[in-house]
Amino acid sequence: MQLLRAIGFFRGNILILSATIGAGIFVSPKGVLKYSSLNVAVSLSIWAACAVLTLISALSHAELGTTFPISGAQYYFLKRSLGSSVAFLNLWIKLFTHPLRLATESLLLSTYTIQPFYAGCPAPELPKRCLALAALWSLGLLNARGVQTVAWLQTVSTLAKMTVLCFICFTGIVLLGMGERENVARFENALDAELPDVSQIAEAFLQGLFAYSGTSILNSMAGEIKNPGKNIPKSLITGIPMVAVVYLLANVSYLAVLTPKEIVSADAVALTWTDKIIPSMQWVISFGISTSVFSTMCCTVLSASRMIYRASQEGQLPFIFSMLNKHSCPTTAVSQLIILTSIVIITSDLINLIRYSGLALWFLRGLHMIGLLKLRYQEPNLPRPYKVPLPFIFGSIAISLFLILTPLIKTPKMEHVYGLIFIFSGLLCYWIHVHLNQHSVSFVKVTCYLQLLFNVSPPEDHNEGISTEKSDLKVIFL
């Protein structure tokens, strides 16, 4: 029994659209515009620049998944290139940030689903948390049915949310085409507004890049992708530009209807936009947001469970987490993620994921690029089906340094210190992990009982296979 390679080029694009287009485009415009000093031209430029930076970063990371086409490729790559301690640091960060992100998405989904029932007042906390837990555990059960079932759901949900976004974009284009003064006023004097400083630009980029997060889903699931050497970069090259076009048109549509101050003061820009254009369509937009968040949650579960699965196979988590059920799903890894996220939902308020985990995310991306350069030097003859140009790698490192260091230097805050303490406390946990006996007889008995409880068995092959076929950006589409 092993993970199945069931994802081709089409489903790879669907996964990118599902993982990337979440609640970000319905919420992040507020943050980007705020940190752009309400400057429309700067805001739209940042959205376009975020698309370019995301594509550069994603294509750079694609070399990891194509060189080591196994599920949880980022974790395995860090362990091979920079050592076990750095791989554990990656595991440490992701074991916290994945449940935080999933809890955030669950609470957003429940908020947008319930809010139409409470017009004019905020929805009570108890129904929101109960619905968030119900959606979360439904996702857990769905993932236990295997990647093919999940891929079918992703196709349906992606079509639904793309329909809603296309409606928003088309409406904005029509309004601008009509030439009404109220709709075009924001764009006529766009360059006259105040310009943001460097630290504000960095914050705006973090907000915009959050809406583009999720492109690493194909690397996380490289062991379940057909012909990953071609399908991973090919899906990224086609999927990310589609997302960028939709995001830009959606922002133009928002600005055609709402003033920058109205956007910044809105909790959910899309709902405010709908109230002003077609109030009776609020249910449709709310459904679109909920569907969008649900499909993104599904991708988060897929990505996080594969990292846990790989860490278990490499000996840094108990072996039970790498066992598969009859549908070739790491059920125990999924269950651990769902339980941790449930605890966060029950005990915490809605998490501001963008600010509190942004530093950790770009810290890890920088480590990936450093590891890529080191492996290029140490193992130049390692078969690489896809080899990213060096300027892309250095560009990704520069992006990471800019987004990490600019807020720390320009506007240092205590939350940045807490973030750094959290990141490097993982090294202390690694020392404890190494010096403690993790394989006692009693734990082996617990593993046996859990294996019977979840009806799982060890995978037949720890290495899903590494392709030696070489290609680059010039021949990806040939």
Side-chain angles (χ1 to χ4, degrees), residues 188-203:
E188 289 181 345
N189 302 315
L191 298 176
D192 296 338
E194 178 187 354
L195 295 176
D197 59 32
V198 176
S199 61
Q200 288 178 310
I201 291 175
E203 291 283 0

Side-chain angles (χ1 to χ4, degrees), residues 134-194:
L136 178 68
W137 282 89
S138 298
L139 273 181
L141 294 174
L142 179 69
N143 272 269
R145 300 292 300 175
V147 68
Q148 290 180 315
T149 303
V150 173
W152 176 84
L153 172 71
Q154 296 290 53
T155 302
V156 175
S157 60
T158 299
L159 290 174
K161 66 182 175 184
M162 288 301 291
T163 300
V164 172
L165 279 171
C166 287
F167 168 76
I168 292 175
C169 297
F170 179 75
T171 304
I173 293 173
V174 170
L175 290 174
L176 289 177
M178 293 171 62
E180 294 290 340
R181 178 70 181 173
E182 180 184 2
N183 301 128
V184 300
R186 262 80 72 182
F187 302 95
E188 289 181 345
N189 302 315
L191 298 176
D192 296 338
E194 178 187 354

Side-chain angles (χ1 to χ4, degrees), residues 196-232:
D197 59 32
V198 176
S199 61
Q200 288 178 310
I201 291 175
E203 291 283 0
F205 268 104
L206 282 175
Q207 297 282 331
L209 289 168
F210 172 72
Y212 284 98
S213 63
T215 54
S216 62
I217 180 71
L218 297 185
N219 281 335
S220 300
M221 302 189 64
E224 295 160 86
I225 295 177
K226 302 173 185 176
N227 193 6
K230 284 190 175 180
N231 282 331
I232 290 179

Side-chain angles (χ1 to χ4, degrees), residues 297-423:
M297 287 171 60
C298 201
C299 289
T300 303
V301 173
L302 282 173
S303 177
S305 62
R306 270 51 180 183
M307 180 207 64
I308 295 171
Y309 166 85
R310 179 55 50 191
S312 173
Q313 287 200 325
E314 297 298 323
Q316 291 193 339
L317 283 178
F319 186 55
I320 184 65
F321 293 121
S322 64
M323 295 188 182
L324 307 176
N325 66 3
K326 63 180 181 180
H327 300 290
S328 299
C329 171
T331 312
T332 46
V334 172
S335 299
Q336 185 207 34
L337 179 66
I338 298 300
I339 291 170
L340 289 175
T341 306
S342 298
I343 294 172
V344 176
I345 290 175
I346 293 171
T347 59
S348 303
D349 293 326
L350 187 62
I351 303 99
N352 190 342
L353 175 70
I354 304 173
R355 300 183 68 183
Y356 287 96
S357 64
L359 283 178
L361 174 64
W362 285 98
F363 173 77
L364 289 179
R365 291 187 177 182
L367 284 181
H368 287 143
M369 293 301 98
I370 293 172
L372 194 60
L373 288 174
K374 183 181 178 183
L375 210 60
R376 286 267 187 101
Y377 174 76
Q378 288 184 336
E379 301 184 47
N381 298 321
L382 181 70
R384 293 175 172 87
Y386 160 77
K387 196 171 182 178
V388 68
L390 281 176
F392 280 34
I393 299 177
F394 289 116
S396 296
I397 294 175
I399 296 167
S400 298
L401 289 175
F402 173 75
L403 293 175
I404 292 171
L405 296 180
T406 302
L408 291 177
I409 295 173
K410 290 289 185 178
T411 54
K413 299 177 182 178
M414 281 305 298
E415 65 191 47
H416 297 146
V417 177
Y418 296 149
L420 292 174
I421 292 173
F422 160 72
I423 290 172

Side-chain angles (χ1 to χ4, degrees), residues 70-87:
I70 54 179
S71 292
Q74 301 104 313
Y75 169 85
Y76 177 82
F77 170 80
L78 282 178
K79 186 176 182 182
R80 179 158 174 169
S81 61
L82 298 179
S84 296
S85 59
V86 177

Side-chain angles (χ1 to χ4, degrees), residues 28-42:
S28 288
K30 168 183 177 178
V32 175
L33 199 55
K34 174 184 176 182
Y35 290 109
S36 299
S37 299
L38 302 184
N39 190 311
V40 172
V42 172

